[in-house]
Amino acid sequence: MRLPVYLDYAATTPVDPRVADLLGRCLTQDGLFGNPSSSTHHFGRRAAEAVETARGQVAALLHADAREIVWTSGATESNNLALRGVMRAHRRRGRHLITSKTEHKAVLDVCRGLEQDGCSVTYLDPEPDGSITLERLADALRPDTLLVSLMHVNNETGVVQDLEAVGALTRSRGILLHVDAAQSAGKLPIDLSASAIDLMSLSAHKLYGPKGVGALFARQRPHQVRLEPLLRGGGQERGLRAGTLAVHQIVAMGEACRIARVEMDHDQSRLQALRDRLWQGLAHLGAVILNGHPRRYWPGILNLSFSGVAAEALLADLPEIALATGSACASASAQASHVLRAMGCDAARSRGAIRFSLGRFTTAAEIDYTVQAVGAAVARLRALSPFWPSGNLESLSVDWGAPARTG
Ligand SMILES: *Cc1c(COP(=O)(O)O)cnc(C)c1O
């Protein structure tokens, strides 16, 4: 086993060696360096063909049509294009958008900007388990609601939203539905041919592809979603996103999606076993609180608070394990997580929260090492705490959460 142990896959994943190999081969003179817009020669046409193959691979992962995939620089740009693009293109029809308080900043910050531009945004409260209920969403709908934006898998808690139910509601009201699927694409089955989702954001670096490339699914059938572009220029991507296509990045994202589709079941069952092993090992410590949903979760993310222990102290004690407090972005600002606060966690619990995120290259040996090292650190820190009661931990009132499966 190699140290340090990487358990921060929700922040970013290493590039799969098969993907890196293909990416490297795109760059040089004997590769696919041509500009895919140069249709007058072989180099351009070969690059364009490779881009279209990759587009088909992304579409196949989502059961979408290749014409519904727009290349972007990542999920942040996809979210910007979806939200701003829809709100601008349809501004005569309405100005209201609904999202939730547990979204990624790449949605919430776009919403703040839209509010400054005169749009009105409703931020839904989640249940304590992180789920958004259909009742709350239905109550928030207005005659001028244009768009609902909800994430599929939450990047801090792993909570999975029930998007089928949401889609049935938005479709029946003629409202567009955008989904930030940066954490779920390539990890959970997604079938857009049988869904009411109109727009979906993807990021390659969350699914073993490179940073700096992503995609937006924008539905064409049965109706076409109208979007106003953010970037104008050479008219690439049917005018929706100008700029010379980054062929090496795009080819790599296509390959990452192909691998994810073929290996999804295998990856998922491995992760479920590793997650169970981690949870069972850590639950033994006592007074461990699960931040998330007991059944509707993706097994690659486990968010826990250890009562009586501050997250920063625990991370400082464990330099050989790469872990996160809240999300990577929130770590930089050293604030308690907005996601956990929205779920009603008190300040101590949300400041004490640690996110363990597992992925394709995580091994059972790494999980066992982590269980042992975290266990020792928690015991040490609790022993130092003047507030920590000695004796029977079960006397503490603690919600243990259930070690359960994706439901
Ligand atoms: C990582 C992430 C993003 C941002 O994606 P980038 O490709 O890094 O811009 C957006 N939403 C969620 C849920 C994420 O996990």
Side-chain angles (χ1 to χ4, degrees):
M1 196 191 72
R2 200 160 48 166
L3 289 178
V5 172
Y6 188 73
L7 288 181
D8 203 11
Y9 280 80
T12 194
T13 58
V15 176
D16 189 294
R18 294 166 286 183
V19 173
D21 186 48
L22 200 60
L23 186 154
R25 285 193 274 127
C26 288
L27 296 168
T28 43
Q29 195 175 4
D30 52 359
L32 293 166
F33 74 93
N35 185 328
S37 299
S38 303
S39 52
T40 54
H41 54 67
H42 172 78
F43 301 93
R45 285 195 294 269
R46 266 192 66 211
E49 273 166 30
V51 165
E52 294 318 309
T53 301
R55 202 189 299 278
Q57 289 167 322
V58 176
L61 179 66
L62 306 177
H63 297 270
D65 191 296
R67 285 166 300 179
E68 297 174 312
I69 305 300
V70 180
W71 300 114
T72 66
S73 62
T76 299
E77 185 187 335
S78 299
N79 288 344
N80 272 268
L81 178 56
L83 270 57
R84 293 163 68 173
V86 163
M87 296 310 282
R88 286 184 191 169
H90 298 264
R91 87 185 106 212
R92 289 212 190 77
R93 254 187 59 208
R95 314 221 75 189
H96 183 228
L97 184 168
I98 300 172
T99 186
S100 87
K101 291 184 180 168
T102 56
E103 297 301 304
H104 193 274
K105 295 282 185 198
V107 163
L108 292 176
D109 213 47
V110 180
C111 289
R112 298 284 177 221
L114 285 166
E115 284 181 295
Q116 281 164 11
D117 294 345
C119 291
S120 152
V121 182
T122 301
Y123 300 90
L124 299 175
D125 282 308
E127 300 300 297
D129 62 19
S131 60
I132 304 289
T133 65
L134 214 52
E135 294 73 43
R136 276 191 212 262
L137 175 59
D139 285 347
L141 295 177
R142 303 192 332 206
D144 64 337
T145 306
L146 277 182
L147 178 66
V148 171
S149 178
L150 291 175
M151 70 207 312
H152 191 190
V153 168
N154 185 276
N155 53 300
E156 293 191 31
T157 60
V159 171
V160 181
Q161 294 301 337
D162 181 1
L163 296 173
E164 276 189 35
V166 170
L169 178 62
T170 51
R171 187 56 71 84
S172 75
R173 301 287 198 95
I175 294 166
L176 295 171
L177 174 59
H178 166 254
V179 173
D180 179 347
Q183 293 289 347
S184 65
K187 297 167 185 173
L188 291 179
I190 295 174
D191 183 354
L192 293 174
S193 71
S195 124
I197 295 166
D198 298 292
L199 297 140
M200 180 174 273
S201 300
L202 272 63
S203 174
H205 77 94
K206 303 287 175 69
L207 57 102
Y208 311 97
K211 294 164 190 60
V213 61
L216 178 69
F217 160 84
R219 185 172 289 287
Q220 299 269 349
R221 291 173 311 176
H223 58 269
Q224 186 182 350
V225 176
R226 273 196 304 126
L227 289 173
E228 203 171 290
L230 302 175
L231 300 181
R232 293 168 188 274
Q236 289 90 347
E237 298 297 275
R238 290 173 291 112
L240 282 174
R241 206 275 192 172
T244 302
L245 292 172
V247 180
H248 59 303
Q249 308 262 66
I250 287 169
V251 166
M253 183 168 181
E255 175 70 357
C257 287
R258 184 194 66 77
I259 294 170
R261 184 166 56 83
V262 175
E263 300 185 358
M264 189 180 297
D265 290 347
H266 175 253
D267 281 354
Q268 162 95 6
S269 52
R270 264 193 86 248
L271 282 179
Q272 184 68 56
L274 291 172
R275 193 253 195 211
D276 290 347
R277 195 178 181 107
L278 181 61
W279 165 252
Q280 278 149 19
L282 294 175
H284 276 303
L285 296 173
V288 182
I289 307 168
L290 173 71
N291 300 310
H293 197 287
R295 288 177 313 281
R296 296 195 57 86
Y297 65 81
W298 178 66
I301 297 177
L302 182 63
N303 191 314
L304 301 175
S305 294
F306 302 89
S307 300
V309 175
E312 294 86 68
L314 192 57
L315 293 200
D317 229 31
L318 296 167
E320 76 282 21
I321 307 178
L323 292 166
T325 62
S327 73
C329 324
S331 301
S333 57
Q335 278 177 344
S337 146
H338 71 278
V339 174
L340 299 184
R341 273 185 292 136
M343 287 161 62
C345 297
D346 60 31
R349 178 167 156 196
S350 61
R351 266 200 304 276
I354 305 272
R355 179 183 70 184
F356 300 83
S357 55
L358 290 54
R360 186 176 286 161
F361 308 113
T362 306
T363 62
E366 289 177 327
I367 295 298
D368 293 345
Y369 179 87
T370 301
V371 166
Q372 170 269 318
V374 171
V378 166
R380 195 156 52 232
L381 291 166
R382 281 177 175 172
L384 291 172
S385 167
F387 306 110
W388 188 252
S390 52
N392 183 8
L393 295 184
E394 255 121 36
S395 62
L396 284 161
S397 156
V398 161
D399 166 19
W400 285 77
R405 311 195 156 258
T406 319

